Amino acid sequence: MATVWQQQVFALDARYNAHRAPNHPNFRTLYIRRRSQLLREYSRTEDPTFRKQYLKLRGLLLQQRYGVNCDQNSIRSRSISAKSSSRISESPESFRFQSENVSPQEMGGVVPTRQAEASRAIVGGTTIAENYAFVGVHHIFDQHTAAVTMLKFANNDRSRLGCASLDGTVSVCNVTASPPHVEVVFRGHKKGVTGFDWSVSNDLMVSCSLDGTICLWNIASSKCLRVVRDPIGAELLSCLFQPANNNMVIAGNSQGMVEVLNVSTGIYPRGGSSKLGGKVLSLAFDSTGVLLWAGNNKGTLVSFLFDAETGRLSKCRRVVVAENCQITCISWRAWISREARDPTLLVNCAANVVCLFRVIDKEGGLKLRRKFSIRHKSSLIRSTFCPIMSFRQGACVVTGSEDSCVYFLDIEREGKACVNKLQGHACPVLGVSFNYDESLLATSDNQGLVIIWKREKRPGSAAGFQNS
């Protein structure tokens, strides 16, 4: 209960942080970090009977001091009333984390089994809840002035975090330095940045924007190497490197086109575009770079085969996840272990669900395995697989939500799947990303705040899974 109370107080302070010293962002960051530290220290000796009273008084004082009401309850009530006429009916039950009526047998062994003794030994034999006990705030970044739409740690890197924002910039942060700091801010787009990706070797970064351009950045020199406009002048909403050939970049635009770009030459190859329809909001490759999935704002998910030699795209399978509900994130994961061999797709859909699909054939066909309810109707909510879940009994995914919380979901658990909830944000949580060893989790929100969470250290845990 003390941990929940700490996060509630921290979230209250975060809601008012934009009003605190508006011309001094460094002070705001320092203040909120110190508040987090004091809350952790105070809760060790604090009397639980005063928690509710303190939270209420703190809210009243902040409201009087800044002359605005940022109370979370009133925010939620306004949000619910504004959406009461929505096409999809909502009930209180729809926002509880529950799986659909899919039996463990129907899951098809999609997660590691209880016989994985060696795998459990690697992580110290701890439970899923213990492994994902992220409670403390490691650092807070607020260099962006608009929503941070996407976060991504560099490949196999525990320190460098990329952040894309609707303020038109992309930043790279070092989260393990002392102190953590922003290494570089890339300024080249004229409108909001909607997506980005690291190259395999982390020496390059590609970003796309509402201004209809793709930019290629050199990380070491902090320079823009190339700017390429969309061939039809449309807004670009998603992009990623082809994993086997980083000369190739795939982008999705607002006119429903999935396009292949040779970023080294700035040329769009013939046959490298395909019409999906709607607005292409999300893209994901498998590890080979042969299978590509794209999702749009109409609830449609389509798979493509990519020809590495010619850059040609061939449309294969089509699935409607939820009609006219935007698909905001797709994540692919090959469950490489002796216990679980099925490749899997994690999909955020603005029908208040996160969906888990099994990839059933070489053309990217999908079979729904489970659904989890979250609050998601309009924002660009993203989720991610936990990087080293295949070494554990069970497996977790993490997702943002429009209720300002971050949820850890055990996809093997029957019944209630939520094993942890973080409450430090004051508005919809958009981006989530783990570093490769799961020691740190980064989350971003609609106001531009980025929070770095650290794992709670537990005696007996494997060294590789603890925060340094």
Side-chain angles (χ1 to χ4, degrees):
M1 289 299 295
T3 297
V4 174
W5 177 79
Q6 290 172 35
Q7 292 184 15
Q8 289 174 339
V9 177
F10 180 80
L12 178 65
D13 279 301
R15 284 193 283 278
Y16 284 93
N17 208 38
H19 304 279
R20 188 178 291 115
N23 298 322
H24 300 280
N26 291 334
F27 173 79
R28 294 200 305 270
T29 301
L30 180 64
Y31 178 90
I32 203 74
R33 287 185 63 200
R34 180 58 177 157
R35 282 288 296 160
S36 176
Q37 179 184 357
L38 290 173
L39 283 168
R40 291 197 301 272
E41 294 174 355
Y42 175 71
S43 62
R44 297 169 187 168
T45 57
E46 166 264 344
D47 187 342
T49 59
F50 291 102
R51 288 174 183 161
K52 290 184 179 180
Q53 184 179 3
Y54 176 87
L55 192 62
K56 182 179 179 180
L57 289 174
R58 179 73 177 168
L60 290 173
L61 288 172
L62 288 172
Q63 181 180 341
Q64 293 175 4
R65 172 66 179 82
Y66 296 108
V68 292
N69 183 9
C70 295
D71 180 70
Q72 183 69 14
N73 290 328
S74 47
I75 291 174
R76 287 181 182 175
S77 63
R78 288 196 300 270
S79 174
I80 293 172
S81 62
K83 296 177 181 179
S84 60
S85 61
S86 176
R87 183 182 61 82
I88 296 180
S89 61
E90 300 175 359
S91 65
E93 289 294 322
S94 68
F95 299 114
R96 297 181 182 177
F97 278 88
Q98 297 176 341
S99 65
E100 298 296 302
N101 295 324
V102 181
S103 68
Q105 289 76 21
E106 291 177 311
M107 288 287 287
V110 73
V111 294
T113 65
R114 290 177 172 79
Q115 284 71 40
E117 299 294 342
S119 297
R120 290 207 302 277
I122 293 175
V123 291
T126 51
T127 66
I128 284 288
E130 289 172 333
N131 276 309
Y132 296 110
F134 283 77
V135 293
V137 175
H138 174 69
H139 192 74
I140 297 168
F141 293 97
D142 63 352
Q143 68 271 18
H144 293 289
T145 58
V148 174
T149 57
M150 183 178 181
L151 296 172
K152 189 174 183 180
F153 275 96
N155 300 303
N156 298 316
D157 192 316
R158 67 192 305 269
S159 300
R160 285 187 296 171
L161 173 71
C163 312
S165 173
L166 290 182
D167 65 8
T169 66
V170 184
S171 61
V172 177
C173 308
N174 189 321
V175 302
T176 59
S178 184
H181 61 274
V182 179
E183 290 187 343
V184 62
V185 178
F186 294 119
R187 306 179 189 276
H189 292 292
K190 296 179 180 179
K191 293 184 179 180
V193 180
T194 51
F196 76 97
D197 195 19
W198 295 88
S199 65
V200 171
S201 57
N202 297 324
D203 57 337
L204 300 173
M205 181 182 285
V206 65
S207 61
C208 63
S209 168
L210 296 175
D211 65 8
T213 64
I214 289 177
C215 290
L216 181 68
W217 310 93
N218 183 292
I219 302 298
S221 67
S222 304
K223 293 182 178 179
C224 182
L225 302 179
R226 186 178 294 279
V227 179
V228 183
R229 295 201 64 82
D230 182 79
I232 60 176
E235 296 176 334
L236 291 172
L237 306 175
S238 53
C239 68
L240 76 168
F241 281 108
Q242 203 272 352
N245 180 3
N246 283 176
N247 290 319
M248 296 292 186
V249 170
I250 286 73
N253 71 17
S254 60
Q255 298 299 313
M257 298 298 297
V258 179
E259 302 163 334
V260 178
L261 167 67
N262 187 324
V263 76
S264 296
T265 63
I267 296 174
Y268 290 88
R270 293 186 61 183
S273 63
S274 182
K275 182 74 171 180
L276 174 59
K279 298 180 179 181
V280 182
L281 301 175
S282 51
L283 298 165
F285 263 116
D286 70 353
S287 60
T288 66
V290 173
L291 268 175
L292 170 72
W293 289 270
N296 67 10
N297 66 329
K298 302 296 184 182
T300 301
L301 192 60
V302 173
S303 65
F304 300 86
L305 288 176
F306 177 81
D307 189 322
E309 293 185 2
T310 64
R312 182 179 296 274
L313 285 175
S314 302
K315 191 180 294 185
C316 296
R317 306 287 190 182
R318 180 178 182 271
V319 173
V320 177
V321 181
E323 190 174 352
N324 293 322
C325 296
Q326 59 186 2
I327 295 174
T328 59
C329 183
I330 309 171
S331 301
W332 178 88
R333 176 67 187 252
W335 297 49
I336 303 174
S337 71
R338 290 174 298 175
E339 298 81 22
R341 301 174 182 271
D342 294 329
T344 307
L345 218 59
L346 184 66
V347 177
N348 284 87
C349 181
N352 296 317
V353 293
V354 181
C355 299
L356 192 71
F357 291 93
R358 177 183 169 221
V359 182
I360 58 175
D361 58 41
K362 295 182 179 180
E363 292 187 340
L366 302 174
K367 181 178 180 181
L368 181 64
R369 308 310 296 172
R370 286 190 80 174
K371 285 185 179 180
F372 305 95
S373 296
I374 65 168
R375 189 182 292 275
H376 182 194
K377 290 300 297 291
S378 59
S379 302
L380 297 175
I381 304 296
R382 300 182 188 271
S383 62
T384 184
F385 288 105
C386 298
I388 43 184
M389 61 187 179
S390 59
F391 294 110
R392 300 194 173 106
Q393 177 184 337
C396 261
V397 298
V398 177
T399 182
S401 174
E402 290 178 355
D403 65 359
S404 307
C405 297
V406 181
Y407 292 96
F408 293 71
L409 306 176
D410 182 354
I411 61 179
E412 188 183 31
R413 178 183 292 190
E414 298 181 35
K416 187 177 181 181
C418 183
V419 297
N420 192 12
K421 180 172 74 170
L422 305 178
Q423 303 180 66
H425 291 276
C427 56
V429 179
L430 306 182
V432 292
S433 181
F434 273 108
N435 63 353
Y436 83 98
D437 65 357
E438 289 186 358
S439 59
L440 296 172
L441 171 70
T443 60
S444 66
D445 66 29
N446 206 41
Q447 294 178 349
L449 196 70
V450 176
I451 300 178
I452 311 299
W453 306 86
K454 61 183 178 181
R455 183 191 306 280
E456 181 182 11
K457 293 184 179 181
R458 292 178 179 270
S461 298
F465 295 82
Q466 289 190 9
N467 186 41
S468 61

